Amino acid sequence: MNNGFVYKQEVHLTVLKTSVFFAGDGFAAYSSDGQLLLRADSYGPDKRHQGELVLTDAAGKCLLTLRRKWPSLHQRWEGFSGEGTEGQKPIFSVRWSSIIGRSSVTVEVYDDPGEEYKIEGCFAQRNCTIFNAAAGEEPVAEIRRKVDPSANVVLGREVFSLLLKPGFDGAFAMGLVLVLDQIHTDEDDHYFTNKGDDRRVRAEPISDD
């Protein structure tokens, strides 16, 4: 979706939640050398901004606009390229559903028919994997707790690692992080499961090289 954030090698980004007071109150993603790459500015508790999220690059250029779709039986978000002006068609959707205690998150990409992703794990614990459902459940990105290698200490949940597999769009992945944060806000401590499986994935922190 944005070639500027697609890498040929596996990449570890550090994601910082810029405020711990309000869910979804801003995120910033940094490269391994500390360079700011992506951010979602704070919108706080202001009701005017609920239901819309904006992801920008370090210079403030809008890359993705995410809007919650109303009405919807399940939580559904749509992603738009750039500022998502009126009449513009979404390029992907994220749908959360829960049936009899089992939850799932499905991502459908409209520009490429048949391209679909599933998210499994627990975002609340910063322990999720994004799978390419059309490629035999191949993992394309992971969210993990971050470890301070100097002290071998697991950091708080406001700082975590976003691991990108080669070829997977980092801006797209960060858009999914923003939506997962909103879903977690509404459905605290729900686990997202794949194939109707009710497994709970244990957190295994990954430290950057």
Side-chain angles (χ1 to χ4, degrees), residues 16-194:
L16 170 66
K17 189 174 176 67
T18 56
S19 172
V20 297
F21 298 107
F22 305 107
D25 194 45
F27 285 92
Y30 296 87
S31 64
S32 58
D33 60 0
Q35 179 184 358
L36 175 64
L37 299 177
L38 298 161
R39 60 191 175 97
D41 288 329
S42 172
Y43 50 84
D46 192 334
K47 298 293 184 182
R48 294 174 299 172
H49 299 290
Q50 291 189 359
E52 180 170 306
L53 312 171
V54 175
L55 179 72
T56 72
D57 64 12
K61 179 183 176 181
C62 182
L63 303 176
L64 282 176
T65 298
L66 301 128
R67 296 193 181 108
R68 186 168 181 176
K69 188 174 177 61
W70 302 95
S72 178
L73 179 61
H74 305 292
Q75 270 223 45
R76 189 181 187 95
W77 290 77
E78 292 182 328
F80 299 83
S81 179
E83 296 181 0
T85 56
E86 186 176 353
Q88 183 178 341
K89 293 183 179 180
I91 56 177
F92 68 89
S93 70
V94 183
R95 181 171 60 90
W96 175 87
S97 60
S98 178
I99 301 176
I100 315 178
R102 292 183 177 181
S103 306
S104 65
V105 174
T106 303
V107 183
E108 182 180 358
V109 179
Y110 297 135
D111 288 347
D112 188 354
E115 185 176 356
E116 184 176 279
Y117 298 92
K118 304 251 182 216
I119 303 176
E120 178 181 333
C122 178
F123 181 76
Q125 297 300 322
R126 306 302 189 244
N127 189 38
C128 294
T129 302
I130 303 171
F131 296 94
N132 186 341
E137 307 296 329
E138 175 188 5
V140 293
E142 298 177 2
I143 297 167
R144 295 288 183 263
R145 296 285 293 273
K146 190 170 179 63
V147 175
D148 179 353
S150 62
N152 197 28
V153 173
V154 179
L155 301 179
R157 285 180 289 179
E158 68 277 7
V159 183
F160 56 94
S161 292
L162 176 60
L163 183 153
L164 304 172
K165 299 293 184 180
F168 192 64
D169 188 341
F172 180 35
M174 270 302 297
L176 299 182
V177 166
L178 300 182
V179 173
L180 288 173
D181 184 59
Q182 288 296 302
I183 292 173
H184 165 60
T185 301
D186 291 348
E187 299 294 333
D188 193 29
D189 290 331
H190 269 278
Y191 282 78
F192 310 130
T193 59
N194 195 20

